[in-house]
Amino acid sequence: MSSQKRRHQHDQQQPPRLFLRRNQGVAVALATALATAVASVPPAAALGSAILLPTSLLSLSVVALSLAGTSFASSPNPPTLTSSQLLEEAKTMLAATRYHDALNAFDAAAETTDVDPNNPMIYFRRAAAYLSLGKASSALRDFSKVLELRPNFDQALLQRGKLHLKSCDADLAAMDFERYLKANPTDVSALEALQEIEVAKEDMRLLDNDISTGAFEQALERLSRLSATCPLKSELRLKRVDIYLQTGDKVMAVGDLTRVAQLHPDDTSILRQLISLQLSIGDTTAALSTLKECLKQDPEHKVCKTMFRDLKKLEKSFKALDTSVEFANWKSVTEKLLGSGGVVEESERMDALEYKRRAYRVACKAFLGTRDAQKAVLCPFCDLGEAHILAEEYESAVRDYETANKLDQNDRRVHEGYHKAQRLMKAAARKDYYKVLGVPRTASKRDIKKAYRKLAQEWHPDKYKGELSKDQVLKKMSDINEAYETLTDDEKREKFDNGEDPNDQQGGQPHHGQPFFFQQGNPFGGAGGNPFSFHFQF
C-alpha cells in the first residue's frame, strides 16, 4: 500500500475535530463553502423554514468554523511541519505503540522538502514500525535502504539477517550475520543464528526425501525445527499440512493452515481449503469467520459465496427442524432430515461435522418419538460417548461404547467411537516430558538443561517454599528428573518422539475391553428393506 493511500485511509478513520485540526486548509475551505451555502439561501426561505443540513455535515461544519477562525484572520496557508518535527512525532507514536500513526508520520517526513535524503534513521525507525505490524517484507526493504545509506549500520545488518533467516533465505542470512560478526565477534545471538542456519540447511536438504519415502515422523520433526527457525516460510507449513492430512490429523492441519492464511490474507485458495477443514472438524464458527474474510478479499468469489449461502440455508433448515421437534411432528422431522436435498444429505455433502452431529441427535429424537426402538436404542450411548470424548473423559466414553456394542455389534459408528476413545485415553495417559520441563519439542540439550536447572531450584524439597505437601513436592521433583533424564538421552528421546514412552514398563499397550467385530452397519439402515440410510462418519 502506498504511503499516500495509507494516510488517506488513516484520515478517514480520524474523528472530525482531530482531522480538521491537522488539516487547517480543509477546515478553511469547508467553513467558506458553508458560509457561501448559507448566504445563498433567500431571506424569506430562511425565515419561513429551517435550513436543513445533515447532522454529520452540520457537526463537521461547526468544528470547521471554530478551527478555521484564526486562519481567516491570518493566512489561508496551513502551517507545514519540518522533517525533524515529523520524526519526533513519529518517535512519540512509536513509543506509544501507535504504529499506523507512526508510519504516516515517517512517510510524511520522508516526503518533506527539508528532509536529509541520506538520513538512515527515518528508514530504520519506520522498519521497526513495520515489524511491529507484522509487515516483514516492508521492514526488509527499509533495512536494506538503511544499509545502502550506511553500510556499517550494525543493527540494521543484524535485523535484516534475522528477517532473511525467518524467511529461510539461509545464504543471505549467513552473509549478513558474518558481516555483523566482523564488528561484533562476541555477539551470542548472531553466533547462535549461524548454527541455526546450518541445521536448517541440513533439514531442508533431507526433508523432501523423508516425505517421499513416507518417513513422516522424521519429516514432522524437521518441519517443526524449520518452522521455528523460519516462521515466515509458508511453504514449510503447507508441507506439514499435507502430512497431517495424509495421517488423518485434521486439527493440526487447521492450525498450520490458519497461520498460512495470516501470512497470505489475500490468497483465497488458502482460505477456501481452511474453511473446508474447519467444517470437517466441527468448528463451524471459525469456518463462518473465514468465509467472511474470503468474501472480504473477493466479494464475488464463487466458491466462498456458495459455501456461505449453503451454510446459512442449512442453519435455517435446522430452525425449521427444531420447530417440528417442538410440536412432535415426527413425520415432518423425518422428511426434512432424509428427503432429497434434506439436512442429512446437505451436511454430508459439505462434510460439516457439527451439522452431521446435530442431524444425528434430531434423528434420535425422531426415532424415539416414533418408538422405533431398534434404531433409537443406540442413540443415547453414542451421544454420551461423544460427549465424554469432548470433555476428555475417555474412560467413560469407552464404557459408553462398550454398552452400545453389547446392544448391536454391527454398528460402525460404535466401533469407530470406541477405538477413538481408546486412542485418546492412551495418549492422555502418556507423560509429555516436554511439557513437564516447559520446553518445545525442538529444544536443544542446552535449552533442556537450562529449563531443568530453573525447575530444580524451584521444586527441590530443600528449597521449596509453597503450600504443597512434602509428598507432592517429591512427586513433582521426581517427574522433573524423569523428564530430564529422558530428553537428554538421545535414544530415549528418539523413542518418545516416535510415540513410545521409554519409561513405560507395560510397553504402552492400550486397554481393549470388550471385543469388537467389524461388520458393516448403522442404526439408520441395513437389511430388511429399510428405506432410510444415514452415512455419518464421526
Side-chain angles (χ1 to χ4, degrees), residues 71-89:
S71 299
F72 281 124
S74 54
S75 169
N77 296 321
T80 302
L81 296 178
T82 66
S83 62
S84 298
Q85 290 172 321
L86 286 168
L87 283 175
E88 284 302 314
E89 184 179 353

Side-chain angles (χ1 to χ4, degrees), residues 28 206 218 258 306 449:
V28 171
L206 299 173
Q218 193 158 328
T258 299
T306 300
K449 290 178 181 178

Side-chain angles (χ1 to χ4, degrees), residues 250 276-284 311 314-315 318 321 337-338 342-364 383 386 412-413 416 524 534-538:
K250 290 184 178 181
S276 296
L277 281 175
Q278 287 168 331
L279 287 174
S280 72
I281 66 171
D283 197 347
T284 306
L311 282 176
L314 205 50
E315 190 62 43
F318 272 106
L321 268 177
L337 280 170
L338 306 172
V343 170
V344 170
E345 183 178 308
E346 288 301 297
S347 299
E348 291 284 0
R349 182 181 64 80
M350 298 188 71
D351 191 24
L353 180 59
E354 179 184 338
Y355 289 120
K356 289 194 282 187
R357 285 173 173 163
R358 287 172 66 182
Y360 178 80
R361 293 187 183 104
V362 174
C364 286
D383 284 353
E386 187 67 22
R412 183 179 62 184
R413 203 172 150 260
E416 291 175 350
F524 307 102
F534 276 42
H535 302 285
F536 289 104
Q537 301 289 332
F538 290 101

Side-chain angles (χ1 to χ4, degrees), residues 105 129 186 319 388 423 428:
T186 60
K319 289 182 179 178
H388 281 133
R423 287 196 304 271

Side-chain angles (χ1 to χ4, degrees), residues 7 10-11 24 61 129 133 151 181 205 256 275 283 306 317 325 342 346 354 359 363 378 381 387 417 438 448 494 502:
R7 286 201 304 278
H10 175 68
D11 287 344
Q24 292 287 339
S61 302
L133 292 171
L181 284 167
R205 186 177 68 83
D256 269 333
I275 292 161
D283 197 347
T306 300
S317 297
V325 170
E346 288 301 297
E354 179 184 338
L378 291 180
F381 298 109
I448 291 168
E494 183 179 0

